[in-house]
Amino acid sequence: MMYILILLLSFLLCSCDNAEPTQEYDFSFMGIPITDNVDEFTKGLSTIGFEKAKPIPGLEYTGSNPYYDGTFVGENVKTLLRYEKQTFVGIDVIFTPSLKLNLGSDIIDIGQMYLGLYDKLRTGLYDKYNNDKWIIETFNDIPIELTDRDVINKINEGEVFRCRIFPNIDQPHNIRPYIVLQINYNGVTIGYYNPVLLNKAFNNTIKDL
C-alpha cells in the first residue's frame, strides 16, 4: 500500500512540473481571450464595438491584415491584429498614427500631447500590474531626469521608449511580454499579446537551425 502511495505522489509531482506555467494567467484584451483562434478574437472585437477600418496611410504595416476602429481607455483608436510567422499572437492599439513629432514650431505642443497620453497609460498599467503576479520592466522607459523637450528631441532622433509587462513565472525558456507600451515618432501604441503564442512563433523560426 505504501508503495502505491509513493508512486501516486510521484505521478502528481511530475504532473505539476509539466503543467503549463502560464495557465493561471488571463492573457486578454478588454476581456477577450488572446488564443490561437483569431476568428473568435475578431468576433469578440465586434461585440465590444470595434469595426473594420481602412489601413492608415503612411504607417509601416502592410498586407491584407485589417484594421479595426474602436474606443480604448476613452480614446478613439485603430487596432491591428499582430502575427508573428503566420501565428496570431495578439493585438496592437494605435492612438495617434497620423501625426508626426517633427512638425516645425508645433513640435513641443504635439510632443507633450504624446507624452501626456503615454504617462496616463503607464500610470494605469502600474496601478493594475504592480504586484507579485507580474513584472514591470522599465529599463527602456523614459529617464526621470529628462525634460519633456529632451524626450521629444530624442524621439525625433529615432529613439523608442517603452514599458513592458511580463508574467512573473519561473521557467527555463525566455518568457515573452504580455503588454508593451511604447512611444516613438509615430505616436503612442500599446500591444497585448499571449506570451505562449509568441514563444510558439519564435520556436517555429528556429526549428531549422
Side-chain angles (χ1 to χ4, degrees), residues 44-111:
L45 287 178
S46 298
T47 63
I48 58 175
F50 280 76
E51 299 178 348
K52 280 188 179 180
K54 293 181 179 180
I56 303 169
L59 208 61
E60 292 81 9
Y61 298 114
T62 58
S64 59
N65 191 13
Y67 291 83
Y68 291 82
D69 283 337
T71 303
F72 180 70
V73 295
E75 304 279 347
N76 293 326
V77 298
K78 287 188 181 292
T79 62
L80 183 70
L81 304 185
R82 170 61 71 88
Y83 288 83
E84 296 289 343
K85 302 302 179 181
Q86 289 75 54
T87 300
F88 171 66
V89 297
I91 187 169
D92 291 321
V93 181
I94 306 163
F95 286 90
T96 48
S98 60
L99 298 175
K100 303 290 183 180
L101 288 185
N102 53 351
L103 295 182
S105 60
D106 295 330
I107 177 174
I108 298 300
D109 290 339
I110 295 174

Side-chain angles (χ1 to χ4, degrees), residues 138-206:
T138 60
F139 64 81
N140 286 319
D141 205 351
I142 298 174
I144 59 175
E145 65 271 14
L146 293 183
T147 66
D148 285 356
R149 184 181 292 271
D150 291 336
V151 174
I152 293 167
N153 287 337
K154 285 184 175 294
I155 291 173
N156 260 342
E157 294 167 359
E159 192 152 347
V160 178
F161 296 103
R162 63 173 59 91
C163 171
R164 303 196 296 178
I165 311 293
F166 292 81
N168 187 12
I169 59 177
D170 183 18
Q171 60 180 28
H173 56 281
N174 183 25
I175 188 63
R176 311 290 165 169
Y178 166 42
I179 300 173
V180 179
L181 169 67
Q182 72 175 27
I183 180 171
N184 61 17
Y185 61 84
N186 275 323
V188 178
T189 62
I190 185 170
Y192 286 76
Y193 314 111
N194 185 323
V196 177
L197 297 178
L198 283 170
N199 269 327
K200 177 182 176 183
F202 175 75
N203 291 333
N204 285 341
T205 65
I206 64 171

Side-chain angles (χ1 to χ4, degrees), residues 9-23 170-173:
L9 179 60
S10 299
F11 173 78
L12 291 174
L13 289 174
C14 290
S15 298
C16 292
D17 289 340
N18 292 328
E20 173 58 60
T22 56
Q23 283 181 346
D170 183 18
Q171 60 180 28
H173 56 281

Side-chain angles (χ1 to χ4, degrees), residues 127-141:
D127 289 345
K128 184 173 182 178
Y129 295 100
N130 188 20
N131 55 60
D132 292 339
K133 190 174 179 180
W134 303 95
I135 296 173
I136 303 177
E137 179 199 84
T138 60
F139 64 81
N140 286 319
D141 205 351

